[in-house]
Amino acid sequence: MATGTLEEGQVRAMFDRIAGVYDRMNRVMTVGLDQQWRRRAADLSGVGPGDRALDVATGTGDLALELAARVGPGGEVVGSDFAEEMLARARAKAGEAPVRFEWGNALALPYDAASFDAATVGFGARNFSDLGRGVAEMARVVRPGGRVVILEITTPQRAPLSWFYGVWFDRAVPALGRVAGDSDAYTYLPSSVKRFPGPRDLAALMAGCGLRDIRWILTAGGIIAIHVGTVPEAAA
Ligand SMILES: C[S@@+](CC[C@H](N)C(=O)[O-])C[C@H]1O[C@@H](n2cnc3c(N)ncnc32)[C@H](O)[C@@H]1O
């Protein structure tokens, strides 16, 4: 299933362009709540001390750093992305954390099958030019019994949040983008959210990728969805 209206090269160029303002824009657009959502996603990945986790489309690395705090010094986190400018920001934040940031295309992950205990993606899946392929790749690199977590913005169905969401996303976010110097990127954001499947459809897509025990939580009044699926144990 195709999700983006931009081609891969255009998505990469856009994130390279906005890398310098990306974190600040996140904090402003979400009134500082975005880190709380990433913490929740990291908790739901189920990783603990000594585990190996992958954060796909890691961008400036905030979700990867949350995973690193959970796996500790005996574990390892890989944050992968295809926009070098975003990766440069992530590397600058890493410090002593057990995390490595490296180039990788989410649609053809350069990792062996079953080589991670969990894989996460935060606000990246809606940018995949082929969502099914991206989720199937995450499922492929996670070991049986491990989890795939998708944190994404979703469209609330009920008023007053649906009304607020329309005003905020369709008007305020592009206006903030103009102030930040890139109105195109922050006009693309609301349109990419509208194209993204709703919670039930995303769960069905995950099931189609072979994941099991799929569940999701909605938070922030239904604006944020965190889906979790488990890679099935091989049949005996
Ligand atoms: C909105 S940012 C999310 C960054 C980060 N995960 C976060 O929590 O803020 C989306 C990221 O997805 C990356 N991305 C989109 N499509 C990708 C693909 N096919 N392969 C690798 N990275 C991709 C972009 O380069 C960008 O850094």
Side-chain angles (χ1 to χ4, degrees):
M1 184 195 298
T3 46
T5 49
L6 294 181
E7 287 171 11
E8 232 175 72
Q10 292 173 301
V11 171
R12 183 166 43 229
M14 182 181 77
F15 282 104
D16 274 335
R17 214 169 60 226
I18 65 169
V21 297
Y22 180 80
D23 284 353
R24 254 172 298 146
M25 278 295 283
N26 272 352
R27 299 302 108 82
V28 173
M29 286 187 306
T30 68
V31 289
L33 291 172
D34 58 313
Q35 294 289 53
Q36 196 175 303
W37 303 330
R38 289 189 189 84
R39 278 197 284 279
R40 194 90 185 266
D43 286 342
L44 289 168
S45 75
V47 296
D51 281 344
R52 190 158 191 266
L54 173 68
D55 183 39
V56 175
T58 194
T60 57
D62 286 340
L63 180 50
L65 289 166
E66 286 296 335
L67 294 168
R70 284 155 184 77
V71 304
E76 184 191 29
V77 176
V78 177
S80 108
D81 201 285
F82 68 7
E84 283 293 355
E85 292 297 325
M86 297 289 273
L87 285 170
R89 261 82 189 175
R91 289 184 189 115
K93 290 181 195 169
E96 298 297 305
V99 59
R100 185 172 87 233
F101 290 106
E102 56 193 29
W103 194 94
N105 189 333
L107 306 188
L109 289 170
Y111 308 111
D112 290 340
S115 54
F116 293 94
D117 295 296
T120 59
V121 61
F123 309 113
R126 98 189 104 79
N127 299 291
F128 293 168
S129 54
D130 185 334
L131 178 61
R133 193 160 143 200
V135 176
E137 275 293 87
M138 292 173 76
R140 178 184 67 80
V141 300
V142 171
R143 65 161 170 81
R147 292 183 189 167
V148 169
V149 178
I150 303 175
L151 163 64
E152 198 44 273
I153 308 167
T154 191
T155 309
Q157 303 301 319
R158 288 194 217 131
L161 249 296
S162 52
W163 175 84
F164 167 79
Y165 181 89
V167 173
W168 182 248
F169 251 172
D170 290 338
R171 293 169 199 265
V173 166
L176 285 169
R178 276 195 294 282
V179 174
D182 203 315
S183 68
D184 281 359
Y186 289 96
T187 303
Y188 164 80
L189 193 159
S191 65
S192 67
V193 172
K194 282 179 194 147
R195 279 193 310 274
F196 197 69
R200 206 166 287 281
D201 288 344
L202 180 58
L205 181 141
M206 292 170 76
C209 294
L211 293 165
R212 296 290 171 263
D213 302 326
I214 295 155
R215 60 204 162 89
W216 67 90
I217 58 166
L218 295 176
T219 185
I223 287 176
I224 297 295
I226 309 177
H227 283 67
V228 185
T230 301
V231 175
E233 303 284 348

